Amino acid sequence: MHIDPVEKKPFFHFLPGTSTFSLATVGCNLHCKNCQNWEISQANPEDSEAYFCPPEKLVELAKTNQCTSLAYTYTDPVIYYEYTLDTSKLARTAGIRNILVTAAYINKEPWKELLQYVDAARIDLKSISDDFYRENCGATLKPVLDNLVLTKESGVHLEVINLVIPTLNDSPEQIGALVQWVKANLGEDTPLHFSQFYPQYKLINLPPTSAETLDTARRIAMSEGMKYVYIGNITSKEGQNTYCPGCKNLLIERSGFTVLNNQLKNGTCPSCGEKIYGVWK
């Protein structure tokens, strides 16, 4: 359990500048060779220290620590599904928002049930290639694509992240195909984050993603018509800020996980009045 800025998840269009009470258990249903949290995601419950924290206590901890939301994160909330569902119901009643940080590798029906109590989801789209999912994650692509669409259709706030890994999913062709799918199926207003890979777990032989590659990914996405495209895990002069897609006015200025300036007025651009996708209050 930890208190994080919501930007760390990352959410850039959901209650910016607020704190979220974050939690996880050990375990994951994916086995990504690049996992940055592999010490807990690939661990066995019996080999780890755990704390007793029933849903009622968790909601109370969020309120006591003045957090506007609960984030089910670090590993994947589909692993502790029943706990996430029970807690989300209580949090909703208590006025605490529920946010999922997930790879969304789960069957449709339980996903639909959980989404009824979720306010925002940040979903990994690790690649647009099924071969990538099979070879690097021990999973398949289609359930993730299906659940991305379900999330958007449900009205839950959605942001998508793609970890750009050198030699594995970083070619302009692969990035272009991923962007085109996101635009066609989730809409041009869906915030899209390209994140820097850093050597971890079973991929320590690869170099970190270069700033040039991430800038290229952002340019590709913007050229395809995506309105809000971000760069993460690395300093970027423009890639962490939110700009109006209409007049290009700087709306939210960020440094790392810190909001330096927020010019939004009731979710709209103060210069041209364009409505900006997100949850702002």
Side-chain angles (χ1 to χ4, degrees):
M1 294 182 288
H2 202 268
I3 298 172
D4 290 325
V6 74
E7 285 77 15
K8 187 177 180 181
K9 299 299 114 185
F11 280 102
F12 279 11
H13 287 239
F14 185 82
L15 303 179
T18 62
S19 296
T20 183
F21 196 90
S22 304
L23 69 136
T25 67
V26 297
C28 190
N29 60 345
L30 272 64
H31 304 286
C32 301
K33 295 177 181 178
N34 56 276
C35 184
Q36 64 175 355
N37 291 324
W38 62 272
E39 295 95 339
I40 55 174
S41 72
Q42 304 305 308
N44 296 314
E46 60 270 21
D47 298 329
S48 304
E49 183 179 8
Y51 297 89
F52 181 71
C53 188
E56 297 84 356
K57 182 178 179 182
L58 189 58
V59 172
E60 186 58 38
L61 283 171
K63 293 172 66 175
T64 301
N65 286 280
Q66 299 180 320
C67 294
T68 58
S69 60
L70 273 165
Y72 310 87
T73 180
Y74 302 135
T75 53
D76 200 303
V78 304
I79 289 300
Y80 46 102
Y81 176 90
E82 294 82 2
Y83 182 63
T84 300
L85 180 60
D86 289 347
T87 307
S88 295
K89 291 177 179 178
L90 289 176
R92 173 66 61 85
T93 302
I96 302 292
R97 309 288 184 96
N98 294 299
I99 62 180
L100 304 179
V101 179
T102 176
Y105 193 63
I106 180 174
N107 289 328
K108 287 183 180 180
E109 292 309 314
W111 184 246
K112 285 181 181 178
E113 183 179 3
L114 180 57
L115 286 178
Q116 297 177 61
Y117 306 96
V118 171
D119 298 281
R122 199 279 284 145
I123 296 178
D124 286 271
L125 180 53
K126 298 175 184 292
S127 172
I128 202 65
S129 163
D130 186 66
D131 287 343
F132 178 96
Y133 268 85
R134 291 177 184 274
E135 294 169 9
N136 292 279
C137 308
T140 55
L141 174 63
K142 189 177 185 301
V144 180
L145 298 183
D146 290 345
N147 288 329
L148 280 161
V149 172
L150 282 173
T151 303
K152 193 74 173 187
E153 290 176 347
S154 73
V156 169
H157 174 80
L158 174 65
E159 303 195 25
V160 177
I161 190 168
N162 174 243
L163 182 71
V164 183
I165 305 176
T167 74
L168 297 185
N169 67 350
D170 66 336
S171 73
E173 294 77 17
Q174 290 170 304
I175 291 169
L178 183 145
V179 169
Q180 289 165 9
W181 186 92
V182 170
K183 182 182 178 183
N185 294 275
L186 307 178
E188 61 187 10
D189 62 344
T190 303
L192 178 58
H193 302 255
F194 291 106
S195 190
Q196 183 194 40
F197 161 84
Y198 190 80
Q200 290 281 359
Y201 194 34
K202 296 182 178 180
L203 288 185
I204 58 174
N205 58 306
L206 295 179
T209 318
S210 69
E212 292 76 16
T213 297
L214 293 167
D215 286 338
T216 297
R218 183 170 182 264
R219 283 197 300 271
I220 291 171
M222 294 178 71
S223 70
E224 291 286 349
M226 296 300 294
K227 291 183 176 181
Y228 313 107
V229 188
Y230 301 102
I231 292 173
N233 283 356
I234 190 173
T235 302
S236 173
K237 184 178 180 181
E238 295 183 347
Q240 293 174 333
N241 297 331
T242 298
Y243 297 89
C244 175
C247 68
K248 312 305 178 186
N249 184 43
L250 175 60
L251 298 175
I252 303 177
E253 183 181 7
R254 301 178 183 86
S255 177
F257 304 134
T258 302
V259 174
L260 302 178
N261 193 13
N262 185 348
Q263 296 292 328
L264 277 174
K265 301 296 181 183
N266 298 318
T268 63
C269 173
S271 296
C272 70
E274 175 147 347
K275 183 174 177 60
I276 307 301
Y277 172 78
V279 177
W280 307 111
K281 64 180 180 179

